[in-house]
C-alpha cells in the first residue's frame, strides 16, 4: 500500500479535467487525507487544454513530488503540452483514452518507459452511460477510485452535490458512470498498481484553500478595510475575493485604473486611518515602487502583496517564480528599509498576511508579502486553526492629551512616533514625500534628512530579532545546510528528510522574514556549517546574493537556483548535498556549481 | 454649531516658498476664504497634492495635508474619501501634475464621481523644474525644452474633463480672488467630483504673452456672457476657446447630481453587513463542498 500518490491529468477544454481534480481534492479533505493540487492551462483564453497535478498523502504534503505515479491522458496532444508539469517516470502508470488511438510503442515520452500503459475506452463509456462525452471525467474518477483506493463515498457525495441542480436523472447517470469506472478497474486489475493506504477520519474536517483566497481572508481578520488594485495574473483572486467579502465588513475595494492608482488609493486610505492593502504581480510591483517610497517616507502602514510570476517584463504570467526578491528589497530610490515577508504554504500565508499588517501598523511602514503563483493559485488541504489566536496590532495613535502639543514625526528612541489621522482635532499635520522636519514641514536641510533617514531605518531593527519568523529543522550542529524560502521551502524540507535517511547531517533554515536581513539569526545558523545550498526558483540565486551582503555565508554554501521551467526536486538537492559532503570530507572546498 | 471660522484659521505657520507675485498666492487665499465659508474645521479636511510649485499648497493650510508624488494626488485623495467619506477632501496640483504625468487618473475619478474638489493651478509651464514645456503650453511656445518653439499643441483641460462627464467644471483666476473663492466654495458644495481650472500665471518662467497679458485683457465672466451653467453643449462650445479666451465662472454644473461612489459603497455596506461571518468563523469559507 502506498502512503502517497501523485496524479496528473490533461485533456481538452470541456473535458472537465479541472473539475475532476477539484472533486478529488475535496474528497481527500473530507476523508482526512492531505493533498495539494495545481492547475495549468494552455495558451488559449477559452476552451484550451488544461491539466491538474495532485498529490494525496496520508502525511502532510510539502511538495508536489517528483514524477507522476499516475498519468491520465484524455488526449495525447493535450497531455504532451504539459511536459514539464506532468513528468512521466519509470514508476508511472499511464492511463489513456483508447479513442485517442495511440499505440503503446508510439507514446513519445522522451525515452522514458513508464511502468505500465493502459488504454481504457473512457469516451465510449461516458457516451454509453451518460450519453454525453462530457462525463469522461466522472469515468476517470471511478477508474482512479477503483485502481488506487481513492475514497469513493466522498467522491460520490461531491458528484451528487455538483449535479443536484440538474436533477435526479443527471445525478444518477453520473453515479453510473463513476461506478462503471470502478467496475472496469476491478475487472482489469493493474499489474503495477497499488492502493493508497486509508487514513483515520479526522474529527475536524480539513479545509481546502488556495493562497490568494487565504491571503484575502487573513486581511479581513487583520482588520484591512480598504483594498486598491489592478488585475494581474496570478494575483487577481485576492482582489476578486475581497470585492465579494470586504463590503460585508464595511470595507471598500477599488479596482483602480492602474497599479499606481491602486496602491495610491490604499496609501490614501491608510493616511485616513484605515488598514489598507494592495496586491499585484511583478509588472505591477514595478509600477508601484515610487508609491512604496512615498509610504516609507510618510511613515504610513501599508501591505503590498506580490504574487510572483516568471519575469522580467511581462515574462510568463502563468509560471511561478521567486525572482522578485531583489525588487521587493531594493526597488526604491533613496535609503529605504522595507520589511519583506514570504509565506511557505497556503496555510502559512494566513499568518504571514496578518503579521504583515501587524508589522505595518506597529512600525508605520509598507510591508511586502512575497507570495508566488504556486502558493497563490494551488489548492491545498489545510487543518482548521484558531483564527482568534492571532494577535492583531493597531497603530499607535496619539492620546487626547498628547494632541495638545502634537508632533507627527517626533524623533523617538524607537523611531516610531504616534500617528494621527484626519478627523482628530489637534493632530493636523502635513504628510509628505518631501523630506520633512519632526513637525512635517518640508525641508532640504541635510542634517534633518540624515536624522530622519536614521529614524526610518532604526525603527525596523527589532524585526531582525524575530526568531519566530524563522523555521529551523534538522540537527542543530549539522555541517551541511539548506536555506530556502517561499513555496520552494517545502521541497527543501523533503530533501532534508531524504538526506537524513541517507546518513547526511543536514539542517534547514526557512526565513519567512527576508528583509531586513536578520544577521544574528543567520550567523548563529551558519556557525556549524561548512557547506550547503540556498535553494530558490530564480536564475541569479537572489537570496544567496542578498545574504552575502550582510552575513559571512560559508564558502561551501552555494546557490541552487533555477528559474521556473523545470521544478526543483528534493532528489536533486540531495544529490548535490552528497557531492558537497564528499568534497568537504576530502578537505577541499567544492567547486561551486554553475548558476543556471 | 461650529464657531464661525475665518480665512486666517486655515493659514499655517509655513511661509510659502513661491516667487513673489506667483499666481498661486492668490489661489491659496481663495482656498482659505472658501474653506472659512464652508465652515468645516481644519481637522476634518484632507488636502492632497502632487509635486510642483503649486503642489506645495496643502502645507500652507491648517488642514491635514498630504504632499504626495508627481501626478498622483487624485488616487490618494480617492482612497481617503472612500475610506472616510465624512472628510472634506481637496486635491490640487499643477497642469503638468494633473494633465501630463497624472493625466490618466482624471477620467477615472470623474467616472467614479467621488466627491473631491480638484483645483489645478494652470500656469502653462513647468514651474518647479524651471521652465519646461507643459501639456497646456500653447503651440509654438519657446521654453527650455522647446527652444525653437514647441511642436505640440495644448491639451484642453476644460474640454477633456467635461467630456469625461464631470458634474462640475469651472475656471477662475487669482486676478479676481473673490470670484475664485466663490467658485471653490461652490465646487466643494457640489455633491460629487468638481474640477476648477485656475489660470494661475508663473511670473518667473511663464509666458507673459500667452497668459499674463491675456488674463487681464481678455477675461470674461461666463454669467455676464449669459451662459447657463446647466447647458452642457454651450459649455463645450465655450470650453473650446481655452487658450484663446479666458472665461471665468462655471462652465457646467449638472442640475441633478449623480450618486457618488462613496455613497453607493455605503449602501452596499448596509446591504451586505448581515452576511459578514464573525471573524472566528472565517475559515468556513474554505469548507470542502
Ligand atoms: C516621477 C517624477 N518625474 C518628474 C519629477 C520632476 N518634476 C517635479 S515638478 C514637475 C513639473 C511641475 O509642473 P506642474 O505640475 O505644472 O507644476 P508647477 O510647478 O508649474 O506648479 C516635474 C517634472 C518628479 N518629481 N517626479
Ligand atoms: S516658478 Fe513660477 S510657478 Fe513656481 S513659484 Fe515661481 S512663479 Fe510660481
Amino acid at each position: 500500500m502506498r502512503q502517497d500518490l501523485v496524479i496528473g491529468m490533461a485533456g481538452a477544454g470541456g473535458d472537465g479535467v479541472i473539475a475532476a481534480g477539484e472533486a478529488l481534492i475535496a474528497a481527500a479533505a473530507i476523508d482526512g487525507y492531505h493533498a495539494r493540487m495545481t492547475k495549468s492551462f494552455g495558451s488559449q483564453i477559452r476552451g484550451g487544454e488544461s491539466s491538474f497535478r495532485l498529490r494525496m498523502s496520508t502525511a502532510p504534503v510539502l511538495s508536489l513530488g517528483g514524477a507522476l505515479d499516475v498519468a491520465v491522458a484524455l488526449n495525447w496532444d493535450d497531455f504532451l503540452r504539459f511536459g514539464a508539469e506532468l513528468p512521466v517516470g519509470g514508476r508511472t502508470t499511464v492511463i489513456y483514452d483508447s479513442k485517442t488511438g495511440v499505440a503503446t510503442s508510439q507514446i513519445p515520452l522522451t525515452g522514458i518507459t513508464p511502468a505500465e500503459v493502459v488504454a481504457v475506452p473512457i469516451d465510449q463509456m461516458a457516451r454509453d452511460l451518460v450519453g454525453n462525452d462530457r462525463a469522461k471525467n466522472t469515468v476517470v474518477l471511478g477508474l482512479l477510485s477503483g485502481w488506487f483506493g481513492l475514497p469513493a463515498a466522498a467522491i460520490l457525495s461531491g458528484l451528487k452535490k455538483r449535479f443536484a441542480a440538474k436533477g435526479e436523472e443527471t445525478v444518477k447517470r453520473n453515479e453510473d458512470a463513476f461506478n462503471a469506472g470502478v467496475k472496469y478497474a476491478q475487472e482489469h486489475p493493474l499489474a503495477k498498481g497499488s492502493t493508497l493506504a486509508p487514513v483515520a477520519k479526522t474529527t475536524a474536517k480539513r479545509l481546502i484553500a488556495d493562497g490568494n483566497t487565504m491571503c484575502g481572508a487573513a486581511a479581513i481578520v487583520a482588520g484591512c478595510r480598504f483594498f486598491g488594485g489592478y488585475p494581474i495574473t496570478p494575483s487577481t483572486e485576492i482582489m476578486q475575493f475581497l470585492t465579494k467579502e470586504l463590503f460585508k465588513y464595511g470595507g471598500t475595494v477599488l479596482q483602480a485604473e492602474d497599479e499606481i492608482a491602486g496602491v495610491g488609493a490604499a496609501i490614501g486610505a491608510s493616511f485616513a486611518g484605515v488598514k489598507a492593502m494592495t496586491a499585484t504581480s511583478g509588472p505591477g510591483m514595478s509600477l508601484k515602487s515610487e508609491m512604496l517610497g512615498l509610504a516609507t517616507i510618510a511613515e504610513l502602514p501599508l501591505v503590498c502583496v506580490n504574487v510572483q510570476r516568471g519575469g522580467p517584463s511581462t515574462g510568463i504570467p502563468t509560471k511561478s517564480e521567486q525572482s522578485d526578491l531583489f525588487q521587493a528589497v531594493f526597488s526604491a530610490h533613496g535609503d529605504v528599509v522595507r520589511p519583506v515577508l514570504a509565506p511557505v504554504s497556503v496555510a502559512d500565508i494566513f499568518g504571514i498576511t496578518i503579521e504583515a499588517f501587524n508589522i505595518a501598523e506597529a512600525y508605520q511602514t509598507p510591508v511586502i508579502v512575497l507570495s508566488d503563483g504556486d502558493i497563490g493559485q494551488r489548492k491545498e488541504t489545510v487543518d482548521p486553526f484558531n483564527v482568534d489566536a492571532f494577535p492583531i496590532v493597531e497603530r499607535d495613535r496619539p492620546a487626547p492629551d498628547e494632541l495638545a502639543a502634537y508632533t507627527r514625526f517626533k524623533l523617538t528612541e524607537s523611531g516610531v512616533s504616534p500617528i494621527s489621522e484626519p478627523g482628530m482635532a489637534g493632530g493636523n499635520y502635513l504628510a509628505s514625500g518631501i523630506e520633512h522636519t519632526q513637525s512635517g514641514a518640508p525641508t532640504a536641510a541635510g542634517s534633518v534628512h540624515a536624522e530622519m533617514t536614521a529614524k526610518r531605518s532604526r525603527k525596523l531593527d527589532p524585526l531582525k530579532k524575530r526568531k519566530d519568523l524563522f523555521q529551523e529543522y534538522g540537527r542543530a550542529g549539522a555541517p551541511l545546510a539548506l536555506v530556502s524560502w517561499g513555496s520552494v521551502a517545502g521541497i527543501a524540507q523533503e530533501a532534508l528528510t531524504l538526506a537524513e535517511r541517507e546518513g547526511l547531517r543536514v539542517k534547514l533554515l526557512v526565513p519567512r522574514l527576508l528583509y531586513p536581513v536578520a544577521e544574528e539569526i543567520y550567523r548563529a545558523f551558519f556557525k556549524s556549517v561548512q557547506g550547503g545550498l540556498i535553494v530558490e526558483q530564480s536564475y541569479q540565486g537572489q537570496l544567496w546574493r542578498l545574504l552575502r551582503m550582510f552575513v559571512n555565508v560559508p564558502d561551501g554554501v552555494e546557490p541552487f537556483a533555477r528559474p521556473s521551467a523545470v521544478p526543483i526536486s528534493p532528489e536533486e538537492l540531495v544529490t548535490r548535498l552528497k557531492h558537497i559532503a564528499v568534497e568537504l570530507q576530502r578537505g577541499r572546498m567544492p567547486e561551486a556549481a554553475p548558476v543556471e | 454649531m461650529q464657531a464661525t471660522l475665518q480665512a486666517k484659521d486655515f493659514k499655517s505657520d509655513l511661509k510659502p516658498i513661491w516667487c513673489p507675485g506667483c499666481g498661486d498666492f492668490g489661489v491659496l487665499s481663495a482656498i482659505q476664504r472658501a474653506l472659512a465659508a464652508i465652515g468645516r474645521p481644519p481637522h476634518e479636511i484632507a488636502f492632497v497634492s502632487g509635486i510642483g510649485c503649486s503642489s506645495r499648497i496643502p502645507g500652507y493650510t491648517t488642514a491635514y495635508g498630504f504632499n504626495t508624488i508627481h501626478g498622483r494626488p487624485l488616487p490618494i485623495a480617492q482612497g481617503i474619501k472612500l475610506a472616510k467619506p465624512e472628510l472634506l477632501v481637496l486635491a490640487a496640483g499643477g497642469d503638468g501634475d494633473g494633465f501630463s504625468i497624472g493625466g490618466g487618473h482624471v477620467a477615472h475619478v470623474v467616472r467614479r464621481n467621488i466627491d473631491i474638489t480638484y483645483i489645478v493651478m494652470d500656469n502653462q509651464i513647468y514651474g518647479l523644474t524651471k521652465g519646461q514645456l507643459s501639456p497646456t503650453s500653447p503651440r509654438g511656445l519657446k521654453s527650455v525644452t522647446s527652444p525653437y518653439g514647441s511642436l505640440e499643441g495644448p491639451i484642453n483641460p476644460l474640454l477633456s474633463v467635461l467630456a469625461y462627464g464631470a458634474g462640475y467644471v469651472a475656471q477662475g483666476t487669482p486676478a479676481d480672488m473673490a470670484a475664485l473663492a466663490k467658485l471653490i466654495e461652490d465646487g466643494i458644495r457640489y455633491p460629487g467630483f468638481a474640477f476648477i481650472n485656475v489660470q494661475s500665471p508663473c511670473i518667473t518662467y511663464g509666458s507673459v504673452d500667452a497668459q499674463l497679458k491675456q488674463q487681464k485683457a481678455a477675461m470674461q465672466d461666463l454669467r455676464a456672457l449669459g451662459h447657463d451653467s446647466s447647458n452642457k453643449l454651450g459649455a463645450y462650445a465655450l470650453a473650446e476657446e481655452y487658450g484663446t479666451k479666458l472665461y471665468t465662472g462655471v462652465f457646467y454644473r449638472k442640475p441633478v447630481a449623480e450618486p457618488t461612489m462613496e455613497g453607493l459603497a455605503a449602501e452596499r455596506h448596509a446591504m451586505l453587513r448581515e452576511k459578514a461571518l464573525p471573524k472566528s468563523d472565517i475559515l468556513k469559507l474554505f469548507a470542502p463542498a
Side-chain angles (χ1 to χ4, degrees), chain B residues 37-94:
Chain B
I38 295 286
R40 298 275 305 264
H43 70 268
E44 292 177 6
I45 300 167
F47 191 0
V48 190
S49 66
I51 291 291
C53 294
S54 42
S55 283
R56 289 287 183 131
I57 202 162
Y60 306 138
T61 75
T62 48
Y64 273 91
F66 199 167
N67 188 186
T68 67
I69 51 179
H70 195 32
R72 315 296 169 196
L74 286 174
I76 290 170
Q78 291 174 75
I80 296 174
K81 187 70 185 174
L82 290 172
K84 275 214 180 144
E86 67 271 24
L87 297 173
L88 189 167
V89 182
L90 297 175

Side-chain angles (χ1 to χ4, degrees), chain B:
Chain B
M1 265 303 279
Q2 296 284 359
T4 333
L5 288 159
Q6 293 176 331
K8 67 171 171 42
D9 295 318
F10 293 92
K11 191 167 176 288
S12 81
D13 298 336
L14 289 182
K15 204 171 138 342
I17 55 162
W18 294 318
C19 310
C22 174
D24 296 347
F25 281 102
V27 184
L28 174 61
S29 300
I31 290 174
Q32 287 162 342
R33 274 204 211 180
L35 289 174
I38 295 286
R40 298 275 305 264
H43 70 268
E44 292 177 6
I45 300 167
F47 191 0
V48 190
S49 66
I51 291 291
C53 294
S54 42
S55 283
R56 289 287 183 131
I57 202 162
Y60 306 138
T61 75
T62 48
Y64 273 91
F66 199 167
N67 188 186
T68 67
I69 51 179
H70 195 32
R72 315 296 169 196
L74 286 174
I76 290 170
Q78 291 174 75
I80 296 174
K81 187 70 185 174
L82 290 172
K84 275 214 180 144
E86 67 271 24
L87 297 173
L88 189 167
V89 182
L90 297 175
D95 42 271
D97 195 74
F99 289 98
S100 193
I101 187 166
H105 302 303
V106 183
H108 300 277
V109 64
V110 171
R111 146 176 104 81
R112 296 178 189 124
N113 193 32
I114 296 180
D115 187 7
I116 290 166
T117 304
Y118 182 37
I119 300 161
V120 168
M121 282 154 269
D122 179 5
N123 55 13
Q124 298 168 8
I125 199 82
Y126 280 15
L128 191 72
T129 44
K130 300 190 165 58
Q132 298 80 14
L133 203 66
S134 115
T136 53
S137 301
R139 194 189 304 277
L141 183 86
K142 288 190 176 159
S143 75
V144 292
T145 49
S146 55
Y148 310 110
S150 82
L151 302 174
E152 302 134 279
I155 198 169
N156 182 331
L158 297 164
L159 204 52
S160 53
V161 178
L162 266 175
Y164 290 146
Y168 185 95
V169 178
Q171 181 162 261
T173 154
D176 186 351
M177 227 253 289
L180 179 59
K182 202 79 199 113
L183 283 179
I184 295 171
E185 185 192 333
D186 199 25
I188 294 172
R189 290 194 194 281
Y190 179 78
F193 180 74
F195 171 63
I196 298 152
N197 198 60
V198 185
Q199 294 280 345
S200 172
C202 168
I203 56 120
T204 306
Y205 304 106
S207 155
V208 175
D209 281 346
Q211 204 175 13
L212 293 187
K213 278 189 186 160
Q214 178 199 64
Q215 182 139 340
K216 293 268 155 56
M219 208 157 80
Q220 292 185 61
D221 183 284
L222 286 170
R223 217 162 352 163
L225 281 176
H227 172 60
D228 167 8
S229 65
S230 70
N231 174 359
K232 195 160 183 185
L233 286 178
Y236 277 128
L238 291 160
E240 273 287 357
E241 300 195 60
Y242 172 85
T244 56
K245 296 213 174 89
L246 178 68
Y247 294 128
T248 61
V250 184
F251 282 76
Y252 183 61
R253 191 182 205 284
K254 206 170 242 173
V256 182
E258 284 179 354
T260 59
M261 180 171 170
E262 64 275 19
L264 295 171
E267 283 175 21
R268 188 146 301 174
H269 294 148
M271 189 176 86
L272 295 173
R273 198 168 34 213
E274 308 264 280
K275 300 212 165 111
L277 284 174
K279 183 184 118 184
S280 334
D281 287 347
I282 202 144
L283 294 181
K284 284 193 176 151
L285 293 170
F286 301 104

Side-chain angles (χ1 to χ4, degrees), chain A residues 31-256:
Chain A
D31 254 36
Y33 289 95
H34 300 265
R36 186 181 280 193
M37 181 184 106
T38 56
K39 332 171 211 187
S40 278
F41 300 92
S43 51
Q44 265 168 285
I45 304 296
R46 255 194 100 93
E49 63 281 3
S50 56
S51 73
F52 77 77
R53 176 181 164 127
L54 172 110
R55 183 174 179 191
M56 266 173 84
S57 178
T58 53
V61 176
L62 296 170
S63 81
L64 276 169
L68 302 177
D69 296 310
V70 186
V72 184
L74 290 178
N75 173 322
W76 275 119
D77 290 341
D78 291 328
F79 187 87
L80 293 169
R81 282 192 189 107
F82 298 100
E85 284 98 330
L86 306 178
V88 169
R91 292 178 326 181
T92 311
T93 295
V94 177
I95 299 163
Y96 73 98
D97 190 341
S98 37
K99 189 191 170 196
T100 70
V102 175
T104 314
S105 60
Q106 288 178 298
I107 296 170
L109 298 173
T110 51
I112 295 162
T113 314
E116 196 164 10
V117 180
V118 191
V120 185
I122 299 171
D123 184 85
Q124 195 55 49
M125 285 164 77
R127 280 177 202 279
D128 290 351
L129 287 152
V130 187
N132 184 346
D133 69 340
R134 291 202 151 217
K136 282 192 281 195
N137 55 358
T138 316
V139 175
V140 170
L141 289 174
L143 292 170
L144 293 175
S145 177
W147 272 322
F148 301 98
L150 304 185
I155 297 175
L156 272 172
S157 88
L159 284 178
K160 211 176 238 168
K161 269 194 198 137
R162 193 181 144 86
F163 293 109
K166 297 198 172 168
E168 294 255 315
E169 177 77 354
T170 314
V171 173
K172 173 80 177 48
R173 280 193 288 173
N174 275 283
E175 276 174 5
D176 289 349
F178 177 84
N179 290 329
V182 176
K183 187 154 166 272
Y184 186 96
Q186 282 159 355
E187 286 167 2
H188 304 78
L190 294 177
K192 303 263 168 67
S194 76
T195 55
L196 189 65
V199 276
K201 284 205 184 190
T202 44
T203 39
K205 269 188 199 167
R206 294 221 156 87
L207 311 165
I208 307 169
D210 59 84
N212 282 342
T213 314
M214 260 292 170
C215 174
I220 290 176
V221 171
C224 174
R225 292 298 175 263
F226 187 86
F227 179 93
Y230 190 75
I232 182 169
T233 306
S235 78
T236 310
E237 294 85 2
I238 298 176
M239 180 164 70
Q240 284 171 190
F241 171 81
L242 286 172
T243 353
K244 189 151 171 268
E245 298 298 329
L246 200 57
F247 285 95
K248 297 178 185 170
Y249 297 84
T252 300
V253 175
L254 180 74
Q255 180 180 330

